[in-house]
Amino acid sequence: MRGMANAQKTYELLVKRLKELGVLDSVGAVLGWDERTQLPEKGAEARAEQMSLIARLRHEMFTSAEIGNWLGEIEGSDLVKDRESDAAVNVRETRHSYDRAAKLPSSLVEELTKMEVLAQHAWVEARKGNNYAAFEPWLAKTLELKRQQADCYGGGAKRYDQLLEDFEPGETATNLQRVFAELRQELVPLVGAIAQSGKEAPAEILERKYPAAQQEKLAKIAAKAVGFDFAGGRLDVSVHPFSTGIAPGDARITTRYDENYFGDAFFGTLHEAGHSMYSQGLPAEHFGTPRGEDISLGIHESQSRMWENLVGRSRSFWEYFLPIAKEHFPEVLKDVSLEQWYFAVNDVKPSLIRTESDEATYNLHVMVRFELEQALLSGDLPTKDLPAAWNGKMTEYLGVDVPDDARGCLQDIHWSGGAIGYFPTYTLGNLYAAQFFEQAKKDVGNLDGQFARGEFAGLLGWLREKIHSQGKKYRATELVNRVTGKPLSAEALMRHLKKKAGELYGV
Amino acid sequence: MRGMANAQKTYELLVKRLKELGVLDSVGAVLGWDERTQLPEKGAEARAEQMSLIARLRHEMFTSAEIGNWLGEIEGSDLVKDRESDAAVNVRETRHSYDRAAKLPSSLVEELTKMEVLAQHAWVEARKGNNYAAFEPWLAKTLELKRQQADCYGGGAKRYDQLLEDFEPGETATNLQRVFAELRQELVPLVGAIAQSGKEAPAEILERKYPAAQQEKLAKIAAKAVGFDFAGGRLDVSVHPFSTGIAPGDARITTRYDENYFGDAFFGTLHEAGHSMYSQGLPAEHFGTPRGEDISLGIHESQSRMWENLVGRSRSFWEYFLPIAKEHFPEVLKDVSLEQWYFAVNDVKPSLIRTESDEATYNLHVMVRFELEQALLSGDLPTKDLPAAWNGKMTEYLGVDVPDDARGCLQDIHWSGGAIGYFPTYTLGNLYAAQFFEQAKKDVGNLDGQFARGEFAGLLGWLREKIHSQGKKYRATELVNRVTGKPLSAEALMRHLKKKAGELYGV
């Protein structure tokens, strides 16, 4: 066993290198943000070159033998004896990603990055033109490269799990299938009971005329109110809303404004603000190292869904915020009561678009994608048959008819960006969010009372302490256990959904 | 002498590497654009890290011994025998920049880049708060690093020339002093005669109320009309307007809108569009290699000044464009005649702000900066004495009293960005522009007739052929000779200024 002093020196070299890699990643994030919000049409090819070069340099720098040697040296020292120390966390998680990255050839990394940029541009056009045929070859090529990637990791029969590992470390398709089945077992009857309740939310309230400029003002007020720091962030417009925690002091979110629908931009902004508040709460002094990074996409999504749904669709939130909304849309909202509004923003109804769907049926959208992407990756589902399979599953799970591919299998950006194994983290996020939120209510006290007064610092402070400031100290499953005292289950989410359904639909 | 086949292979390796370096540079350009148009306040520190890392990687990659070896190998071959071939141009110019770059240690490059970002942020705040004291330490540090840089190149007594070489290869302070003295000799009497002519331009027309949103619309129409390609570019807002040719298909310009002054945004946009049209006209297939790059800042400036002044302030341009402007500002401009407007946009009057100054006195602003930056660099002028020296020179050259540093020595971004030796290229640009424009009128025919009909493709096509498509094939002095048949002189510019002064002021 090497002495602490030597290991400490080696660890400092490792941290310095990781921080450089973090900076390089943040450069990639700027390019990605710009690509999706600013890039002129003719600049796509050059942007693909830029992003693939940065990805290649990053990959080469990270997979250098030196890092492997440093890790080996520190792993054999007392420096990592306390498994919760910063050093132990950084070494454990760097080893995990190092071993995976070292298995990917630079050429594949570069090819994947370049292809993702081009495929995303193809997707934007295909979606705009409702032209799946134009996108299909890009999807096929994406899947081919993702299979190669999975096989590099040592895939074979477990290709999907190998890709999932990039988004939700430690999770497996088998386990997800089990959890999702449990959820579905309770969710489908609930959605059915709601449909048969005879009660209808006054949905048309949200479909009145909401000018984009006023929506933007309101979205900014809401994001600021819940705690998004605009001095360290921005809100812009993009086709597919996203958030990106570029670097300390630079977390950016986007939304899109539909003048005939209130919900899209408003709840989308709360959602992305939830993501970015996680970024803004990560310990900046550890930037670039795992100790300063988010845990997983599922945990990230728990933050966005909490602010979007558990806060943003609560009655107490609107006790505070409806008067503010009325100041921005005085004519449109003058006859709307809190009860009507609360019901409208909690309308449960099977629909076509995932990002516009309600808290309950949202998870059925995710299940459709989860099953289809497994079949696409294995090759059981040829890409040309995707639209038919999509439409079939949507009818089976949600009972809706898909009128065209733009509102069907072309609606999401994910697959065009190479994100296979990403969708299930959305439902994981809903499950985590509900379980965390129940605990926050116990720990912080009367959250609803606070929300009704426009006070969100109690919840945000709790999240900062329990989750954000921890970085990657714990894996997701362990964090949930530590924070809530129990393993993840569908119980908290179902309690929440049933309670609201009881209130609004009497079921 | 090595065979052509081997040299060809080596040359291909060189080109591949140069193109990668071009991509890396373009990443830096995206970061720079974002920093000046989008970056949240708290993101400045992280941005400095990003830009300095990219600059360091670029420097390390470019100064590798491998490139030196490749150059040596090709230089000794027949491949570069034809001095105008792509290979000869690329090898000649790469050798020039390679030898210079190899003299700079990576640490200095990184330090300079990081410091420039931070100093620029300090400058933005200092200018906003009219607080020179807050900026002075940054300027002192900048000068110290620039002296180190010049000494690395082998400076000594010629430090200024060493820095100038980065912006205008082959130019010297001695030569500039001579040319500027010639220009001043004719310019000062002309400006004096105008002042004593008793005629006043109806300047208040430009100081009416011009709402920013309408100005933006009009600026975009004008940029598009002269040939700026928005499918491969953008127009945004920044404190200090700039243009950046990021990569093929991605050339971006910025402006700023003053609702009480028409000239700033409109002529600023034409100016930056002129720069970016040069970028858009460079041969994309040579991107990353000298054959695909602009020649010098002076030549770049000749393009911006030509569109801003020789086109944008011509009577024929406004024959076409005043009716369009009137559609955008019907109330404000309804009583304005072409003659009044033409006189207003060609008002010659000593003023405080370089970017708002007229075609004639502009060059006196440049001379002030040229002299001061030489004194700052040599240390003859301590940074704490800059405001007094600035104000003194402004009185001496332009006869104006500087009321505060925000409108004095803090007005320009350049020094805060480490650009010492940059300012004289502005006046070089004016000289080149006038000489090129005289030639274009001869070659293309009736340019004024075309402008009056809104046709700018004749001039742009001529520039594309004679200048843009040439990349760095010729050095600036040689290009001027080849295109106009004579060496650079002040004659064309003075002919142009005198003709206009005669028309408008009767002098």
Side-chain angles (χ1 to χ4, degrees), chain A residues 338-357:
Chain A
L338 176 62
E339 286 316 303
Q340 289 171 314
W341 184 260
Y342 176 56
F343 199 177
V345 301
N346 283 289
D347 185 16
V348 172
K349 191 172 280 160
S351 64
L352 290 168
I353 308 292
R354 175 184 58 85
T355 56
E356 294 167 9
S357 69

Side-chain angles (χ1 to χ4, degrees), chain B residues 300-319:
Chain B
H300 229 306
E301 192 71 8
S302 75
Q303 303 304 293
S304 56
R305 299 295 277 178
M306 189 181 298
W307 291 101
E308 175 191 1
N309 288 334
L310 302 173
V311 179
R313 293 183 203 271
S314 67
R315 184 196 302 268
S316 53
F317 176 86
W318 288 105
E319 278 177 46

Side-chain angles (χ1 to χ4, degrees), chain B residues 355-373:
Chain B
T355 56
E356 295 168 8
S357 68
D358 58 79
E359 263 182 294
T361 62
Y362 187 95
N363 301 294
L364 300 171
H365 287 265
V366 170
M367 290 173 201
V368 166
R369 288 152 179 80
F370 174 52
E371 292 180 23
L372 292 175
E373 68 181 10

Side-chain angles (χ1 to χ4, degrees), chain B residues 74 89 109 144 225 234 258 287 317 326 347 364 370 379 390 400 405 408 427 443:
Chain B
I74 308 163
V89 171
V109 173
E144 191 40 51
R234 303 179 50 89
D258 176 348
F287 175 70
F317 176 86
K326 287 189 174 197
D347 184 17
L364 300 171
F370 174 52
W390 179 286
V400 296
D405 295 333
T427 284
D443 292 352

Side-chain angles (χ1 to χ4, degrees), chain A residues 20 23 26-27 30 33-34 38-43 46-47 49-50 53 56 229 231 233-234 247 249-250 252, chain B residues 20 23 26-27 30 33-34 38-43 46-47 49-50 53 56 229 231 233-234 247 249-250 252:
Chain A
E20 266 180 16
V23 174
S26 71
V27 169
V30 174
W33 176 83
D34 185 271
Q38 311 289 335
L39 189 68
E41 187 188 323
K42 291 183 181 173
R47 180 53 45 89
E49 298 283 347
Q50 292 157 354
L53 177 65
R56 202 196 72 204
D229 178 7
R234 303 179 49 89
D250 194 1
R252 305 185 184 186
Chain B
E20 266 180 16
V23 173
S26 72
V27 169
V30 174
W33 176 83
D34 185 272
Q38 311 288 335
L39 190 68
E41 186 188 322
K42 291 183 181 174
R47 180 53 45 89
E49 299 283 347
Q50 292 157 355
L53 177 65
R56 202 195 72 203
D229 177 8
R234 303 179 50 89
D250 193 2
R252 305 185 183 187

Side-chain angles (χ1 to χ4, degrees), chain A residues 76-359:
Chain A
S77 81
D78 285 348
L79 193 65
V80 294
K81 217 170 154 187
D82 172 4
R83 287 182 51 76
E84 296 199 357
S85 69
D86 294 345
V89 171
N90 284 334
V91 168
R92 179 191 77 216
E93 292 296 330
T94 302
R95 166 61 74 190
H96 176 258
S97 45
Y98 179 80
D99 285 350
R100 281 172 65 78
K103 291 174 181 167
L104 294 186
S106 289
S107 56
L108 180 61
V109 173
E110 198 166 358
E111 204 179 348
L112 269 165
T113 312
K114 198 180 294 184
M115 207 266 320
E116 283 161 20
V117 175
L118 298 176
Q120 254 179 32
H121 278 269
W123 167 76
V124 169
E125 293 307 308
R127 180 175 186 255
K128 209 184 290 169
N130 184 32
N131 182 359
Y132 176 73
F135 177 59
E136 196 227 317
W138 291 100
L139 180 58
K141 178 76 182 144
T142 298
L143 289 164
E144 191 40 49
L145 290 177
K146 297 305 283 186
R147 285 180 202 118
Q148 285 179 32
Q149 184 183 359
D151 291 345
C152 288
Y153 292 141
K158 293 182 167 181
R159 271 178 176 163
Y160 188 85
D161 287 352
Q162 292 292 359
L163 298 181
L164 181 60
E165 185 73 9
D166 272 343
F167 306 116
E168 200 66 22
E171 199 51 85
T172 64
T174 309
N175 189 52
L176 287 173
Q177 281 153 5
R178 185 185 56 77
V179 180
F180 285 11
E182 285 170 15
L183 179 63
R184 195 165 55 225
Q185 202 177 356
E186 293 215 53
L187 191 54
V188 171
L190 181 69
V191 171
I194 288 171
Q196 285 166 12
S197 69
K199 293 208 176 162
E200 282 269 356
E204 71 66 38
I205 296 174
L206 302 179
E207 290 157 8
R208 295 175 183 174
K209 186 80 183 172
Y210 293 93
Q214 286 299 96
Q215 284 196 55
E216 187 184 349
K217 276 186 201 165
L218 195 68
K220 284 187 173 168
I221 289 171
K224 198 175 167 192
V226 296
F228 179 77
D229 178 7
F230 277 95
R234 303 179 49 89
L235 170 63
D236 296 274
V237 170
S238 68
V239 176
H240 187 96
F242 68 101
S243 73
T244 174
I246 293 175
D250 194 1
R252 305 185 184 186
I253 62 179
T254 72
T255 191
R256 59 181 172 214
Y257 300 100
D258 176 348
E259 300 217 316
N260 300 309
Y261 185 65
F262 176 88
D264 215 2
F266 189 85
F267 294 106
T269 299
L270 284 180
H271 178 98
E272 303 303 343
H275 278 304
S276 268
M277 289 192 287
Y278 185 9
S279 303
Q280 291 181 334
L282 291 168
E285 68 275 22
H286 292 296
F287 175 70
T289 70
R291 187 61 186 75
E293 282 165 4
D294 58 281
I295 294 174
S296 70
L297 284 191
I299 297 297
H300 230 305
E301 192 71 8
S302 75
Q303 304 303 293
S304 56
R305 298 296 278 178
M306 189 181 297
W307 291 102
E308 176 190 1
N309 287 334
L310 302 173
V311 179
R313 293 183 202 271
S314 68
R315 183 195 303 267
S316 53
F317 176 86
W318 287 105
E319 278 178 46
Y320 170 66
F321 214 78
L322 186 58
I324 299 172
K326 287 189 175 199
E327 286 167 22
H328 287 76
F329 304 105
E331 284 307 308
V332 167
L333 294 181
K334 72 175 170 200
D335 63 339
V336 175
S337 71
L338 176 62
E339 286 316 303
Q340 289 171 314
W341 184 260
Y342 176 56
F343 199 177
V345 301
N346 283 289
D347 185 16
V348 172
K349 191 172 280 160
S351 64
L352 290 168
I353 308 292
R354 175 184 58 85
T355 56
E356 294 167 9
S357 69
D358 59 79
E359 263 183 292

